Amino acid sequence: MSFGLIFFAAICVSIIVGAYNGIGEFDIHITPEHAATARKCYFLAQAFYCVDAIFIKSGVCVGLIRASNKSTIRYPAYVVMAISSIAGISALVTVLRICTPIEAQWNPAAGKCLSPSVIVNISYFLSAVYILTDFSCVIIAVVLLWDVQLSWKIKSTAVCILSLGFFASAATFVRLKYLSNYFQETKLMSC
């Protein structure tokens, strides 16, 4: 989880610096220098996000595994960790290989980039995987708490807190609506 926090901080710094340089603005309002910096920050945020999600989901699953010695908890948690890791690494490789050389991400004249549909498709894939794994972590946690000898009041409070994982999935659902903005060439920074 600590590594997840470090990568999350890197995401935040990338987005804040990128916003200062033009992320969220229409392209006509940004100087070319600011646009390059904003695109570089956006690229870094995407890469950090792919790595961050692996550590966060693995941290949650390790916590679930440590809380139980039952195979009905352990094996699903290992599967969630494996699926999250494979999806995150696949997305990271895609983000790193979308433009050749990588510098073309923020300087289109420096090389060639694949179609925006590639990043949209990997984003849909990653979103589907993260929604599935978020729901899975919540379900595993509920199963873990089901047999614990606690008062119903404490158990229901714990389930409510753990169900916050559903809000993570809700954020992913909201993000799905905006993935088509990658196809807007003239409003790239306002996506």
Side-chain angles (χ1 to χ4, degrees):
M1 280 289 225
S2 298
F3 288 118
L5 181 61
I6 291 167
F7 279 100
F8 180 70
I11 293 168
C12 291
V13 168
S14 298
I15 293 298
I16 290 168
V17 172
Y20 178 78
N21 283 285
I23 292 177
E25 286 287 333
F26 289 104
D27 288 356
I28 59 171
H29 301 296
I30 307 170
T31 65
E33 296 81 24
H34 282 132
T37 303
R39 284 187 172 99
K40 185 186 287 187
C41 289
Y42 191 71
F43 161 75
L44 290 171
Q46 285 179 321
F48 290 143
Y49 176 77
C50 294
V51 177
D52 180 54
I54 294 170
F55 286 116
I56 295 296
K57 297 227 190 270
S58 295
V60 170
C61 289
V62 166
L64 291 169
I65 290 167
R66 290 182 64 196
S68 175
N69 58 2
K70 292 191 219 173
S71 61
T72 55
I73 301 295
R74 296 173 80 80
Y75 294 132
Y78 285 129
V79 169
V80 168
M81 284 191 328
I83 290 171
S84 296
S85 298
I86 291 167
I89 291 168
S90 300
L92 179 63
V93 168
T94 302
V95 166
L96 294 176
R97 302 284 298 157
I98 197 90
C99 292
T100 309
I102 289 177
E103 181 186 351
Q105 288 267 7
W106 54 89
N107 180 8
K112 247 182 145 169
C113 293
L114 299 174
S115 166
S117 64
V118 174
I119 199 76
V120 170
N121 289 336
I122 196 71
S123 296
Y124 279 126
F125 164 73
L126 201 59
S127 296
V129 168
Y130 287 165
I131 289 168
L132 174 73
T133 55
D134 287 342
F135 284 150
S136 299
C137 285
V138 170
I139 291 168
I140 292 168
V142 169
V143 169
L144 175 69
L145 285 175
W146 199 262
D147 293 331
V148 174
Q149 298 298 319
L150 294 172
S151 71
W152 180 247
K153 185 178 179 182
I154 294 172
K155 208 182 264 194
S156 62
T157 303
V159 168
C160 287
I161 291 170
L162 291 172
S163 67
L164 293 175
F166 285 116
F167 287 112
S169 295
T172 304
F173 276 116
V174 169
R175 185 180 64 190
L176 289 173
K177 179 186 183 303
Y178 296 99
L179 289 178
S180 63
N181 288 352
Y182 276 104
F183 295 114
Q184 298 177 359
E185 293 288 328
T186 59
K187 299 191 291 186
L188 185 61
M189 289 291 100
S190 65
C191 291

